[in-house]
Amino acid sequence: MDNNIEYKIHVPYDTKSVKPEQISYHNEKELLVTLKNHSENNFISFLLSKFDVQEVEKIVDEYKIGTANFWHFGTVFWQVDSNKKIRGGKVIIYSKSGKRTKYINWIHSIKIKSNEINGFNLNQCFFGEHLVNTSNNTIAIVESEKTACIMSLLFKKYIWLAAGSLNGLNELKMEVLKKRKIILYPDLGVCGPNGSPFSIWKSKCDYFKSKGFDIQISDLLELKGTIEDRTNGYDIADYFLENLTYTPKKIISNEQNLINKLYQKNKNLKILIDVFDLRDHYGNTISLPIQE
């Protein structure tokens, strides 16, 4: 309540003298100290219960997944940008079943509270952004860090990044991906004041496309998810984990399904695909025959 008080905005006399606040970074030592005692990390234990130990170790190393031994053994998702600078460390506590709890913190906030530092100007990037320059693979963007990690274990054809939240998809983060092929995979969710997660990211997809980005959005969950899935905020990792033993080797697009049908009518189609390296709408290589 403002009690009808009139507020006046103070504008500095010389606006040119106002400089944007400098971005704060963590040093490498802060990151390295979290890369141990993973046996106490519930999220990593959950991954180990679902996937091969060597595959999990590889993902933990690639994404720099840490353990906050100083804060309830929470999982640290470090945000390292494409220049290898450490923007921030989000700490999330998971249950033993791999479910996220309500306890979320940031490394810099913990350090400020313990008087280790005086302040920190957090300027976020995508979780996993440091992997962008490792290959020319299609970039897949999801909402949560957990989903990005799991999907990187399931579908290695893409580089999986996390926006950090539904509202974490913005121009500052996207700029580094301007020349890449991008697919968005929003969570399922009920329709709120601003729309559903899909409609919100669809609007952003259209916006970035108008800005010259090579970007698409997947409607897989919209087509496959149930009302219960939507209520529970289902994500693409949940969809595949439910039937982990039946997980396909690639996400089959509508174009791929059409090719499969055509192949059944004319087996010579495979020669054309192999010779010309034909690809689907998302840039995925079309391979035949697909197991039926």
Side-chain angles (χ1 to χ4, degrees), residues 229-247:
D229 296 336
R230 191 176 298 279
T231 302
N232 293 332
Y234 219 54
D235 62 40
I236 191 172
D238 294 321
Y239 176 78
F240 287 108
L241 282 178
E242 274 196 354
N243 299 288
L244 188 58
T245 56
Y246 301 102
T247 301

Side-chain angles (χ1 to χ4, degrees), residues 179-233:
K179 297 181 179 180
R180 303 298 293 269
K181 182 178 289 292
I182 306 162
I183 307 176
L184 305 179
Y185 288 93
D187 292 356
L188 274 178
V190 296
C191 192
N194 298 320
S196 67
F198 179 83
S199 66
I200 291 171
W201 274 27
K202 179 64 167 62
S203 295
K204 292 187 177 184
C205 178
D206 293 340
Y207 171 77
F208 287 121
K209 192 176 295 185
S210 72
K211 293 293 182 178
F213 284 80
D214 184 359
I215 186 169
Q216 304 289 334
I217 185 168
S218 170
D219 60 358
L220 176 66
L221 292 182
E222 293 295 308
L223 297 175
K224 299 293 185 180
T226 64
I227 295 177
E228 183 180 2
D229 296 336
R230 191 176 298 279
T231 302
N232 293 332

Side-chain angles (χ1 to χ4, degrees), residues 72-272:
H72 314 292
F73 296 100
T75 301
V76 186
F77 295 109
W78 291 101
Q79 292 184 7
V80 184
D81 65 25
S82 59
N83 294 315
K84 309 301 182 185
K85 292 188 175 181
I86 307 168
R87 298 286 190 97
K90 183 193 290 187
V91 189
I92 302 177
I93 295 179
Y94 290 88
S95 67
K96 291 184 178 180
S97 63
K99 298 294 183 182
R100 189 180 71 177
T101 71
K102 63 181 180 180
Y103 299 104
I104 301 176
N105 211 332
W106 289 86
I107 294 295
H108 68 271
S109 296
I110 296 171
K111 289 183 175 292
I112 290 173
K113 189 172 183 180
S114 61
N115 295 317
E116 293 183 54
I117 57 176
N118 295 321
F120 193 92
N121 180 31
L122 176 66
N123 192 302
Q124 297 187 57
C125 65
F126 285 114
F127 169 71
E129 185 182 302
H130 62 289
L131 301 174
V132 167
N133 296 326
T134 60
S135 78
N136 293 321
N137 291 359
T138 296
I139 304 295
I141 304 176
V142 294
E143 292 184 35
S144 80
E145 296 84 358
K146 172 187 173 181
T147 306
C149 293
I150 292 174
M151 293 308 296
S152 67
L153 285 161
L154 289 170
F155 297 100
K156 301 177 178 62
K157 188 177 182 67
Y158 299 155
I159 296 176
W160 293 88
L161 308 183
S165 67
L166 176 62
N167 297 317
L169 199 63
N170 57 51
E171 288 189 85
L172 287 176
K173 288 182 180 178
M174 288 291 290
E175 190 60 34
V176 72
L177 305 178
K178 189 64 181 286
K179 297 181 179 180
R180 303 298 293 269
K181 182 178 289 292
I182 306 162
I183 307 176
L184 305 179
Y185 288 93
D187 292 356
L188 274 178
V190 296
C191 192
N194 298 320
S196 67
F198 179 83
S199 66
I200 291 171
W201 274 27
K202 179 64 167 62
S203 295
K204 292 187 177 184
C205 178
D206 293 340
Y207 171 77
F208 287 121
K209 192 176 295 185
S210 72
K211 293 293 182 178
F213 284 80
D214 184 359
I215 186 169
Q216 304 289 334
I217 185 168
S218 170
D219 60 358
L220 176 66
L221 292 182
E222 293 295 308
L223 297 175
K224 299 293 185 180
T226 64
I227 295 177
E228 183 180 2
D229 296 336
R230 191 176 298 279
T231 302
N232 293 332
Y234 219 54
D235 62 40
I236 191 172
D238 294 321
Y239 176 78
F240 287 108
L241 282 178
E242 274 196 354
N243 299 288
L244 188 58
T245 56
Y246 301 102
T247 301
K249 296 302 181 183
K250 61 180 66 178
I251 300 174
I252 301 177
S253 64
N254 290 333
E255 289 90 344
Q256 180 72 68
N257 282 327
L258 177 59
I259 291 293
N260 290 349
K261 293 178 182 178
L262 292 174
Y263 174 71
Q264 297 304 319
K265 296 180 179 180
N266 186 354
K267 299 299 175 68
N268 290 328
L269 186 61
K270 186 177 189 305
I271 298 175
L272 293 175

